[in-house]
């Protein structure tokens, strides 16, 4: 039996991507809450020993650590044949969506969410306007990529949906306006039986 341990935090969209994938796939695992707002050197030694950058998420598969959310999602899909990983077409689709999310939506939304967080980091003049302009493009491309299907992988969600959900769940929290397609997809994602709130994925113990 494969042992899975996920290190993460409820405020990390990247960690939420992996937590959702594990939940959707029904893979038994344990989670370890890591305080991402604390100085890195204060984080548990056992976590720092397996996280090259001292960041979440890290997924331990037996005794091997995997980091970077996109790489973890692809490993899960390939290894267990889940969430699109059971076909070459599903894997291709997943890779395309992961690359798009990382370079577009996943770059803009977390920065804009940080900008509205109380005591959040400041941004140089013009940065917020530039990020919002990029998001305006992403809003339209979101609909193009989704098409008329309920999920990005078709009738059921795949690793691409998990990746996009990571920060897509916080579009309104970042002060942004979702399109109708974004809102409808978000409602379908929230309606999944395996879906949980971030704080439920990562319970502080």
């Amino acid at each position: 039996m494969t042992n899975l341990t996920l290190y993460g935090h409820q405020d990390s969209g990247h960690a939420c991507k992996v937590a959702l994938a594990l939940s959707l796939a029904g893979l038994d695992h344990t989670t370890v809450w890591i305080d991402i707002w604390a100085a890195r050197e204060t984080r548990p030694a056992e976590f720092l020993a397996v996280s090259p950058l001292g960041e979440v998420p890290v997924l331990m598969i037996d005794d091997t650590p995997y980091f970077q959310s996109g790489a973890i999602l692809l490993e899960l899909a390939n290894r267990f044949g889940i969430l699109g990983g059971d076909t070459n077409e599903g894997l291709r689709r997943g890779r395309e969506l992961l690359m798009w999310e990382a370079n577009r939506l996943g770059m803009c939304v977390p920065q804009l969410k940080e900008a509205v967080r109380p005591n959040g980091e400041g941004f140089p003049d013009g940065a917020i306007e530039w990020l919002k302009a990029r998001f305006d493009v992403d809003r339209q491309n979101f609909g193009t990529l989704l098409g008329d299907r309920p999920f990005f992988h078709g009738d059921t969600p795949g690793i691409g949906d998990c990746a996009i959900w990571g920060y897509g769940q916080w579009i309104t929290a970042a002060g942004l306006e979702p399109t109708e397609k974004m809102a409808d997809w978000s409602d379908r994602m929230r309606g999944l039986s395996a879906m949980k709130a971030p704080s439920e994925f990562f319970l502080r113990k």
Side-chain angles (χ1 to χ4, degrees):
M1 181 178 177
T2 304
N3 291 315
L4 302 172
T5 300
L6 175 62
Y7 294 88
H9 187 280
Q10 66 270 18
D11 292 336
S12 168
H14 298 299
C16 287
K17 298 174 187 181
V18 180
L20 176 58
L22 292 169
S23 184
L24 287 174
L27 294 172
D28 289 335
H29 63 284
T30 59
T31 58
V32 179
W33 184 86
I34 300 295
D35 187 358
I36 63 173
W37 301 112
R40 288 186 185 181
E41 61 270 18
T42 67
R43 297 171 189 175
E46 63 271 20
F47 167 69
L48 293 175
V50 297
S51 179
L53 303 178
E55 299 174 345
V56 298
V58 170
L59 180 66
M60 296 294 298
I61 303 180
D62 292 326
D63 295 323
T64 303
Y66 294 82
F67 73 108
Q68 295 298 307
S69 60
I72 296 172
L73 291 175
L74 286 169
E75 178 66 26
L76 290 173
N78 274 290
R79 182 183 290 250
F80 298 104
I82 57 166
L83 303 172
D86 55 330
T87 66
N88 288 333
E89 181 183 358
L91 283 171
R92 175 189 57 77
R93 178 68 170 165
R95 286 192 295 268
E96 291 170 347
L97 292 167
L98 263 60
M99 297 307 113
W100 176 78
E101 188 276 338
N103 287 298
R104 299 296 311 190
L105 197 70
M107 193 274 280
C108 297
V109 176
Q111 301 302 324
L112 292 168
K113 183 173 181 286
E114 173 66 15
V116 299
R117 182 174 66 87
N119 302 315
E121 294 183 9
F123 288 83
D125 290 344
I128 299 301
E129 290 74 15
W130 179 75
L131 288 167
K132 287 183 176 179
R134 282 180 59 92
F135 177 74
D136 284 341
V137 176
D138 297 341
R139 292 170 83 247
Q140 301 308 314
N141 288 338
F142 183 105
T144 300
L145 290 170
L146 183 62
D148 296 326
R149 298 166 298 183
F151 300 101
F152 284 93
H153 281 257
D155 292 333
T156 58
I159 56 172
D161 294 274
C162 295
I164 294 167
W165 177 255
Y167 284 101
Q169 65 181 314
W170 291 318
I171 285 174
T172 56
L176 300 166
E177 184 69 28
T179 63
E180 183 176 350
K181 278 198 171 183
M182 281 179 165
D184 289 345
W185 173 82
S186 294
D187 287 343
R188 287 191 289 272
M189 292 293 288
R190 290 190 178 93
L192 295 169
S193 60
M195 179 60 77
K196 298 179 182 179
S199 59
E200 293 178 302
F201 277 131
F202 297 103
L203 296 174
R204 183 173 183 175
K205 299 177 181 179

